[in-house]
Amino acid sequence: MALTGFFLVSFLIFHLTVNLFLFEGTGGDFSKFGAFLGSFPAIRPIEWILFGGFILHFCLGAYVWLKNRRARPHGYGVKGTSKTIKLSSRLSIYTGLAILAFLAWHLLQFFVASRFSGSTVNMYELVAREFSLLYVVALYELFFVILGFHLKHGFQALFQSLGLRTARYRGFIDAVGVVIWLLIPAGFASIPLVMYFGGAR
Amino acid sequence: MDFKLKIWRQRDAADAGRFENYVAKGISPDASVLEMLDVINRELVAAGKDPIAFDHDCREGICGSCGLVINGGVHGPFEHNTTCELRMRRFHDGDTIVLEPFRSRAFPIIKDLVVNRTALDRIMQAGGYVTVKTGQAPEANAIPVPKKIADEAMDAAQCIGCGACVATCPNGSAMLFVAAKVSQLALLPQGKAERKERVIAMIRQMDKEGFGACSNTYACEAKCPKGISVEHIARLNREYLRAGFGSK
């Protein structure tokens, strides 16, 4: 979980970096980069590795969740034992499932629409068209809150699983964690808002 | 003080079990939860009824025998105490108190509030031995141990093996227990020689016993009566990775 999680976080950073070029407006580097990725020869294997990362992360998460359910067949009469747990940790399986559902929609919306359309698609225009719809913007904003929540648990947990979250580094990991779980989703969330309210240029 | 009690009663492992209601009257505020059960049991025995079975031994928070889930909290709703150290003055007169056994697939119920925690002993047994010279006690400075290492090992050694970490973990995981035992021995020079074999064997036994997997929720640290840090779980993970990838 930790290794696939780390891989997916690094992908998120890359994805956000590319997305920030949307602020350049139409004719900017976003569409150029989209066209470059479309014609880049190594993009197919990279795509499969990325899909593999998501699938493996999901499968491992589902396995751990099922194994852990079996570990306590009879629950408590008074449900109070989880009071000391952070909400993000308690809900990580559910936020993960929500992300998976969102991902399917997100891929249909942009990946399938551009990759299997048959003709060359201007990525900026495709994004601008989607983010001119209020319900799309609202759903994306909701998703980024969920994503932030998932990362809040996941980022610190990956260092714990790898045995790196020691007293010495805990403060540093938690500080970097804030950048990861707060700033990355906030960066993503700013894009639909700006494009909807600021109008696509 | 008077209390209304809901206590889990279960004749044996095969019985389905149920909550039964009791009333405790005139309990001293200085009595522990276990002493309140003693008072109720005396009345039950006098009335010719089956007393409530519960685990206990030292009653001073160092043996790890007692363990109840009280109002949804393992060892009670407060932090860093054992069930035997929880005094009735911390509750309000007339409160309803719910007493349940620890719940885990690896801790089958024997009777009422008594669970079988020998799974933890088997993990210890799987850990094997520590190489020490027999004979007279060695000279104290023969094996120097830095203060910081000694302190960390002592922190881990505080684990009394009560199983609160398992009972409170949403995953029923025994990672904090195993982490404390592995840390204690891996930190000290006397335990270093067998550290790789030990961590692999103990993790393997932990999985075999049917404990859940750690998902880093840190519920265990919050409820451990000895306040053992999840930092030891990080060390356990490190020891395990090192044993898997490092040279023998």
Side-chain angles (χ1 to χ4, degrees):
Chain A
M1 293 243 63
L3 294 177
T4 52
F6 185 75
F7 171 65
L8 295 176
V9 167
S10 57
F11 164 70
L12 274 184
I13 294 170
F14 168 73
H15 194 330
L16 176 63
T17 312
V18 175
N19 281 18
L20 290 176
F21 283 106
L22 281 164
F23 287 127
E24 284 191 335
T26 187
D29 290 328
F30 185 77
S31 296
K32 280 185 212 153
F33 192 71
F36 163 71
L37 276 188
S39 60
F40 186 52
I43 198 70
R44 294 292 92 87
I46 291 173
E47 260 171 26
W48 285 112
I49 291 168
L50 183 58
F51 283 147
F54 274 104
I55 291 166
L56 199 59
H57 193 68
F58 166 75
C59 289
L60 289 170
Y63 168 74
V64 169
W65 186 70
L66 287 171
K67 179 182 175 176
N68 290 347
R69 274 171 65 93
R70 279 203 306 273
R72 180 166 297 133
H74 196 298
Y76 290 108
V78 181
K79 307 260 182 292
T81 49
S82 60
K83 265 186 204 156
T84 51
I85 307 173
K86 286 199 176 112
L87 201 62
S88 55
S89 296
R90 212 179 330 164
L91 298 180
S92 60
I93 181 75
Y94 304 108
T95 49
L97 286 173
I99 290 167
L100 190 71
F102 169 84
L103 205 61
W105 179 53
H106 177 63
L107 285 176
L108 276 177
Q109 217 177 0
F110 295 113
F111 178 74
V112 174
S114 62
R115 176 110 139 67
F116 301 103
S117 65
S119 58
T120 318
V121 177
N122 182 316
M123 283 309 287
Y124 183 86
E125 283 169 15
L126 180 62
V127 174
R129 198 163 57 237
E130 290 295 329
F131 288 156
S132 66
L133 302 167
L134 182 62
Y135 82 93
V136 173
V137 173
L139 279 174
Y140 267 76
E141 294 305 317
L142 175 69
F143 165 71
F144 292 128
V145 173
I146 295 171
L147 177 69
F149 233 55
H150 194 74
L151 292 176
K152 189 171 190 283
H153 169 72
F155 188 75
Q156 54 79 25
L158 89 84
F159 288 94
Q160 175 75 3
S161 293
L162 295 176
L164 302 171
R165 199 169 172 271
T166 57
R168 194 168 169 191
Y169 297 116
R170 192 185 288 193
F172 177 69
I173 289 166
D174 290 351
V176 177
V178 175
V179 175
I180 297 289
W181 70 260
L182 198 64
L183 290 192
I184 289 186
F188 276 115
S190 68
I191 294 164
L193 286 179
V194 169
M195 291 185 84
Y196 183 78
F197 289 106
R201 287 176 289 160
Chain B
M1 297 175 86
D2 298 341
F3 301 101
K4 295 190 231 11
L5 301 168
K6 278 178 78 171
I7 300 174
W8 185 262
R9 300 302 308 263
Q10 186 171 334
R11 211 177 327 112
D12 51 36
D15 184 22
R18 73 221 68 83
F19 280 108
E20 283 181 15
N21 295 316
Y22 296 88
V23 178
K25 280 192 188 299
I27 302 294
S28 160
D30 298 330
S32 70
V33 173
L34 300 185
E35 283 155 358
M36 176 182 68
L37 287 174
D38 290 336
V39 172
I40 296 169
N41 273 348
R42 206 161 50 200
E43 290 166 8
L44 288 174
V45 170
K49 290 179 183 161
D50 193 22
I52 300 155
F54 61 94
D55 254 334
H56 62 101
D57 191 11
C58 75
R59 300 209 180 195
E60 54 185 11
I62 55 169
C63 77
S65 292
C66 64
L68 298 176
V69 177
I70 303 158
N71 287 348
V74 173
H75 286 310
F78 311 104
E79 288 184 5
H80 307 322
N81 65 269
T82 55
T83 300
C84 62
E85 293 171 308
L86 179 57
R87 307 288 158 189
M88 299 317 293
R89 58 176 174 264
R90 303 203 69 176
F91 296 93
H92 299 289
D93 198 28
D95 273 0
T96 300
I97 300 171
V98 184
L99 302 179
E100 301 175 67
F102 283 0
R103 296 287 189 186
S104 163
R105 186 159 67 114
F107 291 168
I109 291 180
I110 297 171
K111 189 182 179 188
D112 297 338
L113 303 170
V114 180
V115 296
N116 183 345
R117 283 172 287 184
T118 50
L120 298 182
D121 300 335
R122 286 191 292 273
I123 294 175
M124 291 291 284
Q125 284 163 4
Y129 54 89
V130 175
T131 307
V132 284
K133 280 186 179 165
T134 53
Q136 282 187 325
E139 200 274 321
N141 292 317
I143 306 172
V145 181
K147 175 82 168 80
K148 189 173 172 291
I149 300 291
D151 284 351
E152 280 183 48
M154 277 306 289
D155 285 348
Q158 280 204 73
C159 170
I160 53 175
C162 66
C165 45
V166 177
T168 201
C169 175
N171 311 321
S173 171
M175 283 285 274
L176 192 64
F177 168 79
V178 178
K181 301 305 176 193
V182 164
S183 280
Q184 177 195 336
L185 298 174
L187 280 164
L188 295 172
Q190 292 91 337
K192 276 213 164 85
E194 304 85 8
R195 66 199 287 190
K196 288 181 180 173
E197 297 82 6
R198 182 188 305 121
V199 68
I200 290 174
M202 288 178 86
I203 294 265
R204 196 173 288 153
Q205 187 65 34
M206 176 182 84
D207 283 338
K208 213 158 89 182
E209 297 290 349
F211 291 106
C214 179
S215 66
N216 304 325
T217 67
Y218 313 136
C220 51
E221 181 183 64
K223 292 305 289 187
C224 172
K226 299 297 161 186
I228 290 173
S229 164
V230 291
E231 207 185 297
H232 295 295
I233 297 185
R235 182 179 292 104
L236 170 64
N237 289 334
R238 217 155 57 232
E239 288 289 322
Y240 190 66
L241 287 172
R242 185 195 172 104
F245 293 111
S247 56
K248 287 272 174 208

